[in-house]
Amino acid sequence: MTQVPCYTIINSPDLEVPNEMQLKQELEKGDTNVKIETLKKVIKLMLNGERYPGLIMTIIRFVLPVQNHMIKKLLLIFWEIVPKTSADGKLLQEMILVCDAYRKDLQHPNEFLRGSTLRFLCKLKEPELLEPLMPAIRACLDHRHSYVRRNAVLAIFTIYKNFDWLVPDGPELIASFLDTQQDMSCKRNAFLMLLHADQERALNFLASCIDQVQSFGDILQLVIVELIYKVCHANPAERSRFIRCIYNLLNSSSNAVRYESAGTLITLSLAPTAIKAAAGCYIELIVKESDNNVKLIVLDRLIAMKENENMEKVMQDLVMDVLRVLAAPDIEVRRKTLALAMDLVYSRNINEMIQVLQKEVAKTHNVEHEDTGKYRQLLVRTLHTCSIKFPDVASSVIPVLVEFLSDTNELAAVDVLIFIREAIQKFPALRGLIIKHLIEAFPQIKSSKIHRAAVWILGEYVEGEQIPEVIAAIQQTLGEIPMVDAEQRRLTGDQTEEQLQQQQQQQGTSGGHEPTTNSSNKVTSDGTYATQSAYSLAPVTKKEKRPPLRQYLMDGDFFFGAALSATLTKLALRYVELVTDARMVNRLTTQVMLIMSSILHLGKSGFPTKPITYDDSDRIMICLRTLSERTPEAVGVFMHDCRDALSKMLDAQSEEDQRMLKEKQRATAKVQPDSPVLFAQLSNGRDNQLGENVFESSLNQALAGTKTAQVNDMSSPNNKLNKVTQLTGFSDPVYAEAYVNVNQYDIVLDVLIVNQTNDTLQNCTLELATLGDLKLVERPHPVVLAPHDFCNIKANVKVSSTENGIIFGNIVYDTALNTNVVVLNTIHIDIMDYIIPASCTDTEFRQMWQDFEWENKVTVNTSFTDLHEYLKHLLKSTNMKCLTPEKALSGQCGFMAANMYAKSIFGENALANLSIEKPVDDPDSKVTGHIRIRAKSQGMALSLGDKISSSQKQSVQAA
C-alpha cells in the first residue's frame, strides 16, 4: 500500500464479490445507468483489495467512448487507482489508448471536462503517460474559461515538481502567464507554483505590485503571506522590504488573511508595535467572528503569545480590549478570556477591569440562560482572584459579591463565601466592612448550605458591639422561640408572634382600620358543621411560610442546627470576655442556651420531616455544656483552634499554588543544558530576533500528535521498541510483529511480516478485526513474499471513545500446494494512551462525583506495605493526578484517603477515590482498602478498573 499512490478514499460496507465475467457483461451490454453502477462497484472492490486485470480492456472498449459526464468522473477515479504497470514495472500497453482518450478530453469543448481531466493529471505518477499530453496541457493555459486555466497551472506545477524535464521552461511559462492574468484563482495558482519552484521570480512579481496587494483576492493574499514568511525566515535581511506589506494585510477584508498575517508578523518581529498590532488584530477577529471554534482557536493564539515573556509586557496594556470578548455567549470562550485577562492585568488597569466585571455581573441579573449560573460563578472567581492579588480593590469588590449570597444559584454563592472566608482572614482591616454587608445579606440567603457557611464566618470573626446585633439577626431569621410551642400554635390555628407582628404592620399601613381575621368555618357536604382536632393532623399537611432558618430545621436539616449552636457558643464566649456586667452576660448566655435547647426539643418533637441525628444532638449538648461549665480546654477550642485551622489551610493552599507556579515556570524552560543544538537555529544567525518557526512546530505536532512531544522522541529506538507487540512465534512459517502508534483519534499498526520458508508466498494477506470502540479504516492489500523476504504492511484503526480495545486477526497466504493460515496474537490497546492528568476544584469534583452514574469499585490487592508508595504506584499506572494536597497526605496515621482526576483526549472525565489502611503497629502488613472509580460512560469506568487490577497483579507477581 505504501508504494501505490492513492488520493481518493471511498468508504464502503462489506460488498459481495461478483466474478469477473459478470462485471464484463454488465459493462459491455448494459445501458448507461447499469454501466455507472457497475463502475462504482468495480472502484469499491478495487479499493478493498480486489484485482481485475481483465477489465481494463473492456472498460477502454465499451465505457471510455461514452460521453456521459458521470461516467467521465468515475473513470477519472478508476484510472487513478488501477495498477498501470505490469509485474516487471513496465507500463501496460492498454494505457496508450487511455492516454489518447485523455488527449481528446483536454481538447473537448466542455470546460468542465477539460478542467476535471487536468485535475486528474495532477495525480498521475507515470511520466510515459504525461509526455504525449504536454502540448495539450500547455494549450489549456490560453483557454477562455478560468476553471480550465487554473487547473492547467496546477497540472504544470505538479508535473514540474515530479518530472521537471517534461516542462523545463515551467517557471518562465508561468511567470509570463501571471503577468497577463486578471482572474484571482489563476493568479493564486500561478504564484503558488513560483513560490515553490522559483522564489526569485515570485519575489520580483510581488515587488512589482506590492502597493496593490490589498486589492488582491484573499486566496492570493494568503499565498503572498506564506511567501513573505518563508523568505524572511531564510533571509532575515529581507524583513524590512516586506514587513510593511504584512502590516497592510492586517486590515484585509478576509478574516483568514488577517489571522495568517498576525501570526506571521509576530514570528518576524518582536517589536512592541508589531506585537500590539497582531494582538489587536486577533482580538478584533474574536469579537467579530460568530463561529465559536474560530473564537477558541484565536484565543489560543493570544494565550500562546502571552506565554512569551517579551510579548506579555506589551500585551498587559490590552487587557481592556481582551475583556471585549466577554460579549460572546459561549461559556468556554468566556472562561479562557477571563483567565487570559487575569494573567495580563497589573496594578495600573486593575480598577478598570473591576468596573468591567461589575458591569458583567449586573448584566447576569434576571437573565435566564443555561450557562448564566456558570458565568456568574466564573465572574465571582475572577473577582476573588483580583482581590487576593490586588488587596487595594477588595473594598470595592466585597459589596458586589455579597449580593450573590441571595442568589438562587448555589454555585456562585459558595464561591462568594470561599472568597469572604479568605479575605476576612487575610485582610483584618476589611473585617468590619465584610461583617456589616454579611449581616445585611443574612436574611435574604435562600440555601441552607450558604446560611451554614455564613453563620460560621459570623461566629468566628464578629467582635465587640456587633455580637448582640448578629444574635438578634439570627433570632429574627429563626422565628419565635421556643419553636415547639410556636409550631403547636400554628397547627391549632392560634396566632403566633410572627403573625401578630404582621397584623400590626398591616394595621399601621392601613391607617387603623379594623383588623381582619383569617378564621373560617368548617362545613361538610350535607351542610352540618364539622369539628377538627389539631392532634389528628399530620405536621406536614399544612405548608406555611416560615422564617428561613426555621424552615431548614422543619425539613430535617439539623446539621445546620449543630453549626448554628457552635456559632452561638463562640459569640457568647467572646461576649463573656468583652463585657464585665454579669447581668448582661447572663441574659445573652441564657438567650443563646434557650435557642439551642429549643433546637434539641424541636428535633425530638416529631414536627420536622426527619428527626435529629445522634451526632447533631451530641454536638449541641457539647455546646450547652461548654457555655454552662466554661472549662479552659473547651473555650480554647471554640475561641482559637478553629481560626488556627483555617489559617493553616489557607497557607497550605497558597503554598500549593506557589509550588504549581514554580513547576510551570520550570517546565517552560527554553533550553536545557544537555539539549542538542538544532542546526535550524544556527542557520538564522544569533542576531536574528525571529519567533518560532511555524512550519517546524506544525511538523512536530503532526508527527508526534501532541505539542509536548518532540520529533527526536518519536524516532528514538527505545520509545519504538516499547510499543512492539510480537504477533506470531519464531518457529511459525510467517513471523509477524507490530509497532502500535497511538496518535490521538487513530492507531497506526506497522506490521513487519517475514517469510521464514523456502517457498514464495502468494497473496499474503493480513486480515484484522477489532473488539470495542475501534474500527478498521481499510483492508491491507495482499503482497507477494519471496523466500526469506520481508515487508511492512500498515493498517489504520479509528478510535471513537476511551475504552480498552482488542485487535485480532490472522495471516493468510497461498503456496504452490495449498492455502495456509497463521493466527495472530491479540493486540491490546491501552486506555492509558488516551488519558492525561488534569486538575479541578473540590467543588467541581464533588459535583461530577454526584452527577456521574457509573461506578466501579476495585479492591486493593497488593504487596506494598507503605501507603504513600502505593499511591505513587497508582498514579503512575493510571496516569491520574492526585487532587489531595501533599500536606494532607503527609505523616503516618494508618489510613489514607485521596481524590484523583484525569481527562481523556475525547473530553471525558474520570474520577477516583482511594481509601486505604494498614495497622501502624505492624510494619510488614500489606496495604488494604478499595478504590472507587466514577465516570460518565460505562466503558471508561470498567477500563480504568481493569487497568488498576492488572497493575496490582504485576506488582504482586514482581514481589
Side-chain angles (χ1 to χ4, degrees):
M1 190 64 194
T2 51
Q3 277 86 34
V4 182
C6 179
Y7 296 86
T8 307
I9 295 175
I10 301 172
N11 183 32
S12 56
D14 296 334
L15 296 169
E16 290 183 20
V17 182
N19 60 37
E20 198 167 330
M21 284 303 298
Q22 185 183 342
L23 291 172
K24 277 185 178 180
Q25 284 181 357
E26 289 177 353
L27 290 170
E28 286 178 22
K29 299 176 181 177
D31 59 11
T32 303
N33 290 332
V34 172
K35 286 180 180 179
I36 289 171
E37 291 303 317
T38 309
L39 203 52
K40 284 181 180 178
K41 198 184 296 181
V42 169
I43 290 168
K44 288 177 181 177
L45 288 167
M46 292 186 79
L47 282 171
N48 282 336
E50 301 296 333
R51 290 287 174 268
Y52 297 109
L55 283 181
I56 294 179
M57 204 60 214
T58 306
I59 288 174
I60 291 171
R61 287 175 59 201
F62 298 101
V63 184
L64 198 58
V66 180
Q67 292 302 310
N68 182 282
H69 282 198
M70 187 66 187
I71 286 182
K72 292 279 185 190
K73 286 166 73 175
L74 289 171
L75 281 172
L76 292 177
I77 298 173
F78 175 78
W79 295 124
E80 180 190 340
I81 65 172
V82 74
K84 301 170 191 67
T85 54
S86 57
D88 57 358
K90 291 183 180 178
L91 193 71
L92 293 173
Q93 295 294 323
E94 296 92 329
M95 297 312 293
I96 297 169
L97 299 169
V98 177
C99 183
D100 185 58
Y102 281 116
R103 188 177 54 76
K104 289 176 183 174
D105 280 349
L106 287 174
Q107 296 165 349
H108 199 282
N110 185 305
E111 60 270 7
F112 169 73
L113 276 180
R114 279 202 190 198
S116 55
T117 307
L118 286 164
R119 287 178 72 86
F120 160 71
L121 294 179
C122 295
K123 303 171 185 178
L124 281 185
K125 299 293 181 188
E126 289 78 22
E128 302 94 328
L129 287 176
L130 291 168
E131 192 171 8
L133 301 174
M134 288 314 301
I137 295 171
R138 283 170 176 265
C140 287
L141 285 174
D142 300 323
H143 194 272
R144 61 182 175 78
H145 204 285
S146 61
Y147 178 69
V148 177
R149 295 200 304 272
R150 70 168 177 256
N151 282 310
V153 174
L154 278 182
I156 290 173
F157 176 29
T158 51
I159 292 167
Y160 181 81
K161 191 166 62 174
N162 297 323
F163 318 106
D164 56 352
W165 48 273
L166 287 176
V167 262
D169 61 337
E172 296 95 354
L173 183 68
I174 296 302
S176 59
F177 170 82
L178 184 58
D179 291 334
T180 60
Q181 280 302 307
Q182 296 301 318
D183 181 76
M184 278 303 157
S185 60
C186 296
K187 287 180 97 165
R188 180 256 180 197
N189 287 359
F191 191 78
L192 185 67
M193 175 176 172
L194 292 180
L195 164 65
H196 292 284
D198 192 344
Q199 273 194 13
E200 194 58 42
R201 289 180 191 273
L203 284 173
N204 291 338
F205 170 77
L206 181 58
S208 67
C209 60
I210 199 159
D211 295 328
Q212 296 139 29
V213 165
Q214 274 197 288
S215 62
F216 290 166
D218 57 345
I219 54 174
L220 181 55
Q221 286 177 341
L222 284 170
V223 184
I224 288 171
V225 170
E226 185 183 345
L227 171 70
I228 293 173
Y229 175 82
K230 281 191 168 182
V231 169
C232 292
H233 260 281
N235 185 10
E238 296 280 355
R239 275 187 295 171
S240 57
R241 184 178 169 194
F242 293 113
I243 204 160
R244 176 53 49 194
C245 180
I246 292 290
Y247 269 109
N248 292 337
L249 287 175
L250 287 177
N251 301 317
S252 169
S253 57
S254 165
N255 286 345
V257 174
R258 296 175 70 194
Y259 175 76
E260 292 296 335
S261 302
T264 302
L265 182 60
I266 55 175
T267 59
L268 299 184
S269 171
L270 292 178
T273 50
I275 294 166
K276 207 169 261 189
C281 180
Y282 280 144
I283 292 166
E284 284 295 321
L285 283 175
I286 300 169
V287 172
K288 291 182 179 177
E289 183 59 50
S290 58
D291 189 342
N292 280 333
N293 293 320
V294 175
K295 287 179 188 283
L296 290 169
I297 290 166
V298 183
L299 259 175
D300 286 337
R301 290 295 300 165
L302 275 174
I303 292 166
M305 283 177 68
K306 184 260 304 177
E307 299 296 332
N308 187 314
E309 293 172 6
N310 299 321
M311 297 186 191
E312 187 178 10
K313 290 175 184 174
V314 179
M315 290 178 68
Q316 285 179 341
D317 295 327
L318 298 173
V319 170
M320 301 312 294
D321 292 322
V322 169
L323 289 173
R324 287 167 55 204
V325 181
L326 291 176
D330 184 66
I331 189 70
E332 195 59 37
V333 173
R334 286 170 161 176
R335 181 180 283 115
K336 285 193 172 187
T337 304
L338 287 172
L340 176 62
M342 200 60 243
D343 289 338
L344 292 176
V345 73
Y346 66 120
S347 54
R348 283 188 191 173
N349 52 19
I350 181 64
N351 288 316
E352 295 173 8
M353 181 173 167
I354 292 293
Q355 288 173 6
V356 172
L357 294 178
Q358 287 175 346
K359 287 177 184 174
E360 288 295 316
V361 167
K363 285 180 192 174
T364 60
H365 287 296
N366 304 319
V367 176
E368 290 300 326
H369 189 270
E370 57 180 343
D371 286 332
T372 303
K374 292 179 183 175
Y375 183 43
R376 296 184 79 170
Q377 193 179 5
L378 276 177
L379 290 171
V380 167
R381 287 182 182 175
T382 309
L383 287 167
H384 174 181
T385 314
C386 287
S387 303
I388 301 302
K389 199 172 176 182
F390 304 97
D392 296 341
V393 300
S395 56
S396 61
V397 169
I398 287 163
V400 179
L401 289 184
V402 169
E403 291 178 13
F404 278 93
L405 292 178
S406 58
D407 194 25
T408 50
N409 177 24
E410 197 175 276
L411 296 173
V414 167
D415 281 337
V416 170
L417 280 170
I418 291 171
F419 161 66
I420 289 175
R421 186 182 66 186
E422 188 172 353
I424 206 168
Q425 173 69 18
K426 288 188 174 179
F427 311 132
L430 295 175
R431 282 180 187 171
L433 176 71
I434 294 173
I435 295 295
K436 178 189 168 190
H437 284 288
L438 198 54
I439 293 172
E440 287 174 3
F442 193 78
Q444 278 79 44
I445 298 174
K446 299 179 176 66
S447 164
S448 67
K449 191 176 179 182
I450 308 305
H451 251 133
R452 192 169 69 231
V455 156
W456 187 91
I457 292 171
L458 288 172
E460 198 61 53
Y461 292 98
V462 168
E463 292 173 351
E465 297 174 358
Q466 288 180 315
I467 292 175
E469 188 184 345
V470 170
I471 292 176
I474 289 173
Q475 193 157 1
Q476 184 186 351
T477 48
L478 198 57
E480 185 186 345
I481 303 293
M483 288 180 273
V484 174
D485 295 346
E487 290 300 319
Q488 281 179 341
R489 281 201 298 277
R490 192 187 292 274
L491 280 175
T492 54
D494 294 342
Q495 288 183 325
T496 60
E497 285 182 12
E498 293 132 15
Q499 290 169 341
L500 286 170
Q501 286 173 4
Q502 287 173 6
Q503 278 189 10
Q504 286 170 4
Q505 288 171 1
Q506 287 171 4
Q507 284 176 14
T509 55
S510 60
H513 284 265
E514 286 292 319
T516 56
T517 59
N518 293 327
S519 59
S520 59
N521 293 324
K522 306 293 180 188
V523 183
T524 60
S525 57
D526 60 355
T528 58
Y529 289 99
T531 57
Q532 243 176 355
S533 169
Y535 298 104
S536 65
L537 294 174
V540 292
T541 53
K542 205 168 184 180
K543 196 76 177 173
E544 293 192 30
K545 191 174 180 183
R546 298 182 175 89
L549 302 191
R550 172 85 62 85
Q551 190 60 52
Y552 304 150
L553 298 173
M554 291 301 292
D555 292 337
D557 185 4
F558 283 96
F559 181 50
F560 172 79
L564 181 63
S565 301
T567 293
L568 292 170
T569 305
K570 289 176 191 175
L571 292 172
L573 290 172
R574 206 166 284 122
Y575 194 73
V576 168
E577 286 184 352
L578 183 71
V579 179
T580 53
D581 189 347
R583 288 179 61 192
M584 291 176 68
V585 167
N586 288 337
R587 185 183 301 139
L588 188 133
T589 307
T590 50
Q591 182 185 356
V592 164
M593 293 176 80
L594 175 63
I595 293 173
M596 288 190 240
S597 55
S598 178
I599 293 171
L600 268 177
H601 189 196
L602 181 69
K604 295 177 181 177
S605 66
F607 285 108
T609 53
K610 287 184 282 187
I612 190 169
T613 62
Y614 289 112
D615 287 344
D616 296 333
S617 174
D618 288 350
R619 196 171 170 202
I620 295 172
M621 288 300 294
I622 288 169
C623 293
L624 285 167
R625 185 172 297 170
T626 302
L627 280 178
S628 59
E629 297 176 1
R630 296 181 198 163
T631 57
E633 295 85 359
V635 171
V637 170
F638 279 99
M639 296 288 285
H640 307 294
D641 291 1
C642 290
R643 197 175 299 189
D644 292 344
L646 173 64
S647 178
K648 286 177 184 175
M649 187 188 81
L650 292 175
D651 290 343
Q653 281 180 355
S654 178
E655 285 176 21
E656 183 73 14
D657 292 342
Q658 291 294 327
R659 187 179 65 81
M660 294 287 288
L661 193 64
K662 282 181 183 175
E663 281 184 8
K664 195 175 179 183
Q665 289 171 346
R666 200 180 302 133
T668 55
K670 296 289 183 294
V671 181
Q672 295 296 338
D674 56 347
S675 296
V677 178
L678 296 176
F679 288 101
Q681 288 178 331
L682 293 175
S683 64
N684 287 335
R686 292 193 176 184
D687 300 330
N688 174 18
Q689 289 291 312
L690 297 185
E692 64 165 342
N693 190 322
V694 176
F695 293 133
E696 188 180 326
S697 60
S698 61
L699 175 66
N700 285 351
Q701 198 171 342
L703 286 172
T706 59
K707 289 183 182 175
T708 53
Q710 299 293 325
V711 179
N712 55 0
D713 293 340
M714 294 302 296
S715 57
S716 66
N718 292 336
N719 186 40
K720 204 163 183 177
L721 288 172
N722 288 336
K723 295 185 177 181
V724 171
T725 305
Q726 187 177 337
L727 301 179
T728 63
F730 291 115
S731 58
D732 284 320
V734 176
Y735 173 75
E737 64 183 28
Y739 165 57
V740 183
N741 182 20
V742 178
N743 185 11
Q744 287 211 352
Y745 298 107
D746 41 62
I747 299 166
V748 179
L749 297 180
D750 191 350
V751 184
L752 170 70
I753 297 178
V754 182
N755 179 7
Q756 301 194 117
T757 66
N758 296 320
D759 302 323
T760 299
L761 307 183
Q762 300 283 345
N763 290 329
C764 184
T765 309
L766 176 67
E767 295 183 346
L768 297 173
T770 57
L771 199 66
D773 275 352
L774 304 175
K775 187 179 179 184
L776 197 66
V777 175
E778 56 184 334
R779 203 167 78 186
H781 284 247
V783 293
V784 177
L785 283 177
H788 301 288
D789 193 8
F790 66 90
C791 73
N792 283 69
I793 297 177
K794 288 191 177 179
N796 290 306
V797 178
K798 208 78 181 165
V799 185
S800 55
S801 74
T802 317
E803 285 187 33
N804 285 333
I806 297 173
I807 302 172
F808 57 94
N810 49 47
I811 294 174
V812 182
Y813 61 91
D814 297 335
T815 58
L817 300 173
N818 56 2
T819 301
N820 299 286
V821 178
V822 178
V823 179
L824 303 178
N825 188 16
T826 54
I827 302 171
H828 291 267
I829 304 301
D830 196 351
I831 187 176
M832 291 303 105
D833 291 320
Y834 318 129
I835 285 184
I836 50 174
S839 58
C840 66
T841 63
D842 288 345
T843 312
E844 290 167 344
F845 186 91
R846 288 194 200 99
Q847 189 62 42
M848 286 190 284
W849 189 269
Q850 186 179 332
D851 294 343
F852 292 172
E853 53 192 18
W854 291 103
E855 181 174 313
N856 187 9
K857 191 172 180 180
V858 180
T859 305
V860 174
N861 177 23
T862 181
S863 56
F864 281 94
T865 56
D866 185 83
L867 300 176
H868 294 86
E869 288 299 320
Y870 180 75
L871 176 62
K872 285 179 188 173
H873 165 73
L874 191 66
L875 294 173
K876 186 179 176 184
S877 59
T878 58
N879 223 13
M880 298 184 91
K881 182 178 180 181
C882 183
L883 299 180
T884 309
E886 190 66 36
K887 281 200 169 183
L889 298 171
S890 58
Q892 295 288 346
C893 61
F895 68 89
M896 178 188 285
N899 291 335
M900 296 175 290
Y901 177 60
K903 254 188 162 180
S904 77
I905 58 172
F906 304 102
E908 297 170 303
N909 298 298
L911 313 174
N913 173 257
L914 172 72
S915 299
I916 50 177
E917 62 179 348
K918 65 162 282 185
V920 183
D921 53 354
D922 185 3
D924 297 327
S925 62
K926 294 177 182 176
V927 172
T928 58
H930 57 264
I931 303 147
R932 292 166 67 197
I933 303 157
R934 285 205 180 179
K936 209 164 193 176
S937 63
Q938 183 185 19
M940 182 88 159
L942 291 175
S943 300
L944 208 52
D946 292 343
K947 180 66 186 173
I948 293 171
S949 300
S950 63
S951 69
Q952 287 189 150
K953 284 177 186 173
Q954 288 170 5
S955 67
V956 169
Q957 288 168 0

